[in-house]
């Protein structure tokens, strides 16, 4: 585990920062990235009549004009090649009661929508019932970024349910805002 208690100043050498190439591994990066709390979305659509989707914590609102958001998908994802063919993608911002749903939506085997109530738009975007915000979207740009692809999406429709509090993903734990 990396423990860095030193203050980092401009001009500090790499050693003085307590970070070296030897401890910059995928495992430590994953752990370090986990300190940044995020929400979790479901991104889903109907493809050839079947619901396809996954859970993602890399969602970021980007632009108001034009209306853009993004999420990052692993280049090795076996779901994305199918999901990206959909005319519209549904983004659902998951609520504090969705900790089990996140695991289901992320499962590598079995039904990703087991136990989940979903709503499909006329355009084939799939949304999870009981979530706070639904954003219908189309793919605007794909930007290769290391082992992930940044998927920039243009929002085409919005539905909001303000009473639903969000789930917060932090250091591999699902938390609530008041916890
Ligand atoms: C909390 C959480 C956040 C996740 N965030 C992402 C993400 O941002 N991008 C991504 O590609 N996969 C993410 N995943 C993994 C996917 O939900 C899913 O497990 C993965 O896509 C399954 O592999 P497949 O795409 O080959 O079917 C996340 C999983 C969990 C549990």
């Amino acid at each position: 585990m990396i423990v860095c208690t030193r203050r980092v100043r401009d001009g500090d050498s790499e050693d003085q920062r307590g970070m070296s190439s030897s401890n910059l591994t995928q495992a430590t990066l994953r752990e370090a990235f986990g300190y940044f709390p995020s929400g979790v979305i479901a991104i889903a659509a109907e493809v050839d009549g079947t619901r396809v989707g996954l859970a993602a914590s890399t969602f970021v609102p980007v632009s108001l004009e034009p209306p853009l958001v993004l999420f990052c998908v692993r280049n090795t994802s076996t779901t994305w090649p199918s999901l990206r063919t959909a005319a519209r993608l549904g983004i659902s911002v998951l609520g504090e009661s969705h900790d089990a749903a996140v695991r289901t939506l992320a499962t590598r085997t079995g039904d990703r929508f087991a136990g989940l109530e979903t709503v499909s738009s006329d355009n084939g975007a799939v949304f999870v019932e009981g979530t706070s915000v639904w954003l219908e979207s189309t793919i605007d740009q794909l930007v290769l970024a290391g082992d992930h692809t940044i998927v920039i999406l243009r929002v085409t429709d919005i539905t909001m349910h303000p009473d639903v509090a969000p789930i917060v993903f932090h250091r591999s734990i699902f938390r609530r805002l008041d916890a």
Side-chain angles (χ1 to χ4, degrees), residues 1-176:
M1 178 185 289
I2 299 168
V3 179
C4 179
T5 56
R6 296 170 67 91
R7 182 175 293 180
V8 178
R9 296 182 302 266
D10 284 351
D12 277 357
S13 72
E14 199 173 43
D15 282 350
Q16 285 172 307
R17 291 176 194 162
M19 176 68 88
S20 68
S21 56
S22 62
N23 61 21
L24 186 59
T25 66
Q26 288 196 19
T28 56
L29 270 174
R30 189 175 292 114
E31 182 183 350
F33 288 176
Y35 279 76
F36 182 68
S38 67
V40 185
I41 61 159
I43 180 155
E46 281 186 17
V47 178
D48 298 331
T50 302
R51 291 175 298 184
V52 177
L54 53 86
S57 57
T58 52
F59 174 79
V60 179
V62 174
S63 165
L64 298 179
E65 184 51 50
L68 300 175
V69 299
L70 70 75
F71 86 107
C72 302
V73 67
R74 280 177 71 100
N75 294 333
T76 53
S77 170
T78 57
T79 302
W80 178 240
S82 168
L83 189 57
R84 66 176 289 184
T85 65
R88 293 284 195 282
L89 300 177
I91 293 169
S92 304
V93 177
L94 296 172
E96 62 182 16
S97 67
H98 290 113
D99 43 346
V102 177
R103 301 285 183 206
T104 303
L105 283 160
T107 185
R108 290 187 183 273
T109 55
D111 180 2
R112 291 239 170 108
F113 297 91
L116 286 181
E117 281 187 50
T118 61
V119 175
S120 298
S121 75
D122 293 344
N123 299 314
V126 170
F127 302 101
V128 178
E129 279 277 25
T131 54
S132 61
V133 178
W134 297 350
L135 302 174
E136 190 184 69
S137 61
T138 58
I139 297 174
D140 189 84
Q141 296 171 56
L142 299 173
V143 181
L144 191 60
D147 56 14
H148 280 63
T149 295
I150 301 168
V151 181
I152 301 175
L153 298 158
R154 181 179 286 250
V155 177
T156 54
D157 199 10
I158 302 172
T159 306
M160 289 186 273
H161 303 104
D163 295 341
V164 180
I167 197 166
V168 179
F169 189 54
H170 177 237
R171 299 190 67 193
S172 303
I173 294 172
F174 296 113
R175 305 178 192 270
R176 297 174 179 215

